[in-house]
């Protein structure tokens, strides 16, 4: 009788283990098949936080924005704003190597604007940054306002 | 008379100062007692942005997600998605040291997916990343879509 | 006839090019004039993620928060919470050089709280951090809860 019970217990343990393995396989296969969120809304909004002078981060930001603009899910229905502040201020200072990339974004409809606090803290005049760049009271204020209104904030 | 006025002014100044100190003490004590936001909603959603190949950032991300999953406020009511892109692509490339940690997340119900733009930019084939990882059109597109729908975006 | 057609084609090409240039100039001028989002809501909320021990990041965070508090668009209608975790834990450990800056924030109405998971992981007692700092179950839990409720999350 004891022997039979042990056999039965072993059988159940094996079934349990097999079930667990099936669940694992199912979860991994389901994850493999995941192909991303669908964009069901009519309009999408994003504000990019560019607060670093690290060329890798700056180039990633520009590449990211260009990718988002042509993402088939967002194409023609996403509005993007880039706010430069802190170290990112250097991106919009005249003579930086990003003039063409920034202009290109503006011509694609992206807003590019600089934080005025950072200009003051760094003693940079309005005339010291590219003329086509806008100026906003504070970068963080913009991030907070936009995000409270439902915009996405992306920090590359 | 002048002397009395001065005395009176001093008394008021002292009361004012004492009041200010009381307010300060109250504010500091109130902050000490703060124990965190309450989770009043039925479901929570978060998308983790993993765009760095810095082991410290990667390990922080994995630890963060595991912590969020067992946070008593969120346990069993939070849905989490991890999107790898840019430097973070290295995390899902076959041979990385994160296979088990990623699988563990998927088996806990977390979605793990890689940005297709980053694969193209880095000339990595679908077969070059772990088979159980999903692929999405663009990492940034996903961040923007999810956040516009009310999801939290966390960048570790 | 062929010559006339070529002339006509050239004229149209020139008009097209001029139009494109006008559009470009208009877009650049419009971006120049951009002066930031307006704060139309009665209340704004932001949670700051302080998870780095890099003095530059810590000082940027403190400066950012102080800037947001006095942004004319947000003044007196923004509620701010700072959550320290991971490397940011060092900011609230007794003996750090940020005691006065943190106290100053609390006295301005900002909540400053530390992640309990990070304390445990780093084997730091409650008594090891500034007494006026609050403690929350998990930093990431807080970020997820707040953001799902419509708060902005800012990572300096």
């Amino acid at each position: 009788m004891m022997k039979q019970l042990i056999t039965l217990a072993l059988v159940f343990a094996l079934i349990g283990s097999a079930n667990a393995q099936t669940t694992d396989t199912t979860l991994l296969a389901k994850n493999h098949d995941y192909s991303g969120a669908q964009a069901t809304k009519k309009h999408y909004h994003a504000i990019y936080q560019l607060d670093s002078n690290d060329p890798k981060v700056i180039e990633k930001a520009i590449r990211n924005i260009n990718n988002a603009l042509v993402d088939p899910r967002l194409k023609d229905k996403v509005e993007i704003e880039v706010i430069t502040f802190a170290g990112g201020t250097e991106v919009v200072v005249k003579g930086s190597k990003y003039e063409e990339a920034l202009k290109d974004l503006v011509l694609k409809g992206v807003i590019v604007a600089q934080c005025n606090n950072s200009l003051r803290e760094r003693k940079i005049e309005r005339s010291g940054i590219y003329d086509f760049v806008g100026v906003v009271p504070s970068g963080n204020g913009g991030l907070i306002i936009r995000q409270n209104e439902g915009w996405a904030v992306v920090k590359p």
Side-chain angles (χ1 to χ4, degrees), chain A:
Chain A
M1 175 68 179
M2 183 55 105
K3 211 174 157 186
Q4 284 168 318
L5 272 177
I6 290 171
T7 310
L8 203 66
L10 274 171
V11 167
F12 275 110
L14 279 168
I15 292 173
S17 162
N19 275 347
Q21 276 190 7
T22 311
T23 314
D24 285 11
T25 310
T26 309
L27 279 167
L28 293 171
K30 199 180 137 202
N31 191 71
H32 165 96
D33 289 342
Y34 182 73
S35 61
Q38 296 305 310
T40 52
K41 302 181 81 169
K42 279 196 177 171
H43 300 290
Y44 286 83
H45 303 89
I47 182 162
Y48 276 75
Q49 170 181 354
L50 188 39
D51 58 351
S52 167
N53 63 357
D54 178 346
K56 276 193 187 173
V57 174
I58 298 166
E59 280 151 32
K60 180 162 68 167
I62 295 168
R63 205 168 53 238
N64 281 349
I65 296 167
N66 279 304
N67 278 341
L69 287 171
V70 298
D71 183 310
R73 300 171 296 178
L74 291 175
K75 203 166 162 18
D76 297 327
K77 57 179 187 173
V78 64
E79 188 185 336
I80 295 180
E81 196 174 311
V82 186
I83 302 295
T84 51
F85 63 99
T89 302
E90 296 177 23
V91 177
V92 301
V93 166
K94 279 177 186 168
S96 84
K97 57 177 180 175
Y98 303 106
E99 182 173 11
E100 288 315 311
L102 294 177
K103 258 190 189 162
D104 176 60
L105 288 178
V106 171
L107 298 185
K108 286 172 178 166
V110 173
I111 286 173
V112 178
Q114 164 65 31
C115 165
N116 200 32
N117 283 323
S118 295
L119 288 183
R120 210 175 41 240
E121 285 159 12
R122 291 161 182 257
K123 307 196 197 315
I124 298 171
E125 299 291 318
R126 174 63 161 109
S127 60
I129 65 169
Y130 293 125
D131 194 53
F132 64 88
V133 172
V135 175
V136 300
S138 88
N140 271 249
L143 295 182
I144 294 172
I145 292 169
R146 289 308 199 186
Q147 210 173 164
N148 273 270
E149 285 167 355
W151 285 45
V153 169
V154 187
K155 178 180 165 74

